[in-house]
Amino acid sequence: MLRLEDLHKQFGANLVLRGVDLEIKKGETMVIIGRSGEGKSVLLKCIVNLIEPDQGKVWLDGRDMLQLDGKGRDHLRRRFGFLFQGAALFDSLTVEENVSFGLRRLTDYSEARIREIVKEKLAMVGLKDIERQKPAELSGGMKKRVGLARAIAMNPEVILYDEPTTGLDPIMADAINDLILQMQKKLSVTSIAVTHDMTSAYKIGDRIAMLHEGRIVDVGTPANFKRSKNALVHQFITGSAHGPISLV
Ligand SMILES: Nc1ncnc2c1ncn2[C@@H]1O[C@H](COP(=O)(O)OP(=O)(O)OP(=O)(O)O)[C@@H](O)[C@H]1O
Ligand SMILES: [Mg+2]
């Protein structure tokens, strides 16, 4: 359904993506792991063209998203939900205005219907009665969940999650894992989730891909990853400071 082909991105002399190839099947959850600063967030942003790749293709249902004009891209982008790493809420807007941002801009739903959807999506992420609050009044984990409610507000076909469980307590992290699984099972959503949280990766991932030095160095099921002979994967999933991955 979604295919990344030879994606490259550099910022000045900083070569971040150096030829990423990855295929995501319809309905699967692909987890991307990799060290901090490897380019995981840049990769997600390249997929929806929030960052323009220098080279490569992003195929969605056989069409190269990067070749489309602005209108065509906007149209395809509507099929995506995006949970940003830092939640990226609008500080001056209330929770309700944040969650309904896309609904108000892109649909002609009535005010009552929008309010109902906002309530429903907030309930899905374990929040209620916070519609009138502003992001500054929320805890980090609450902001993340509001960001998630916004990402799923338009019933996207593909959801990109950037660190969905980071900063949440273990119980809420597990609830978010369950929600990601539910979105996949009930709504057949296709997902890419970037995470450092291996508990979450094993639970939600149909397959896991490891990004290292700008390329995908291994892809496999959680079971395969746990048994992987790839020294890079082994070092990462065991969280060891010793191995082929240097600290600087
Ligand atoms: N807009 C930008 N302009 C310049 N450099 C950028 C930009 N965005 C990211 N980078 C650089 O790209 C590299 C990868 O950043 P990215 O945020 O993708 O890392 P990450 O793998 O998501 O890390 P983390 O796990 O800490 O979130 C970093 O060196 C970062 O400084
Ligand atoms: Mg990141």
Side-chain angles (χ1 to χ4, degrees), residues 65-76:
M65 286 178 67
L66 305 177
Q67 293 303 317
L68 297 170
D69 59 7
K71 228 176 172 175
R73 253 183 228 178
D74 281 350
H75 195 72
L76 281 191

Side-chain angles (χ1 to χ4, degrees), residues 30-47:
M30 174 67 79
V31 168
I32 297 177
I33 60 171
R35 291 194 61 204
S36 185
E38 279 292 342
K40 304 179 300 299
S41 296
V42 168
L43 179 61
L44 287 188
K45 288 178 186 162
C46 281
I47 295 173

Side-chain angles (χ1 to χ4, degrees), residues 94-112:
T94 64
V95 166
E96 178 172 274
E97 288 162 344
N98 267 286
V99 175
S100 64
F101 194 78
L103 292 166
R104 283 181 207 281
R105 277 183 56 218
L106 304 168
T107 73
D108 52 8
Y109 293 167
S110 69
E111 196 54 36

Side-chain angles (χ1 to χ4, degrees), residues 63-130:
R63 266 183 297 178
D64 180 4
M65 286 178 67
L66 305 177
Q67 293 303 317
L68 297 170
D69 59 7
K71 228 176 172 175
R73 253 183 228 178
D74 281 350
H75 195 72
L76 281 191
R77 264 200 206 133
R78 285 189 202 184
R79 297 168 61 185
F80 287 85
F82 202 119
L83 170 66
F84 290 90
Q85 186 163 6
L89 301 175
F90 300 108
D91 290 331
S92 60
L93 303 183
T94 64
V95 166
E96 178 172 274
E97 288 162 344
N98 267 286
V99 175
S100 64
F101 194 78
L103 292 166
R104 283 181 207 281
R105 277 183 56 218
L106 304 168
T107 73
D108 52 8
Y109 293 167
S110 69
E111 196 54 36
R113 173 102 183 89
I114 287 178
R115 231 173 268 149
E116 194 183 314
I117 295 173
V118 169
K119 219 180 168 101
E120 176 203 336
K121 302 300 178 188
L122 286 173
M124 286 177 82
V125 297
L127 295 171
K128 67 171 182 182
D129 300 334
I130 60 156

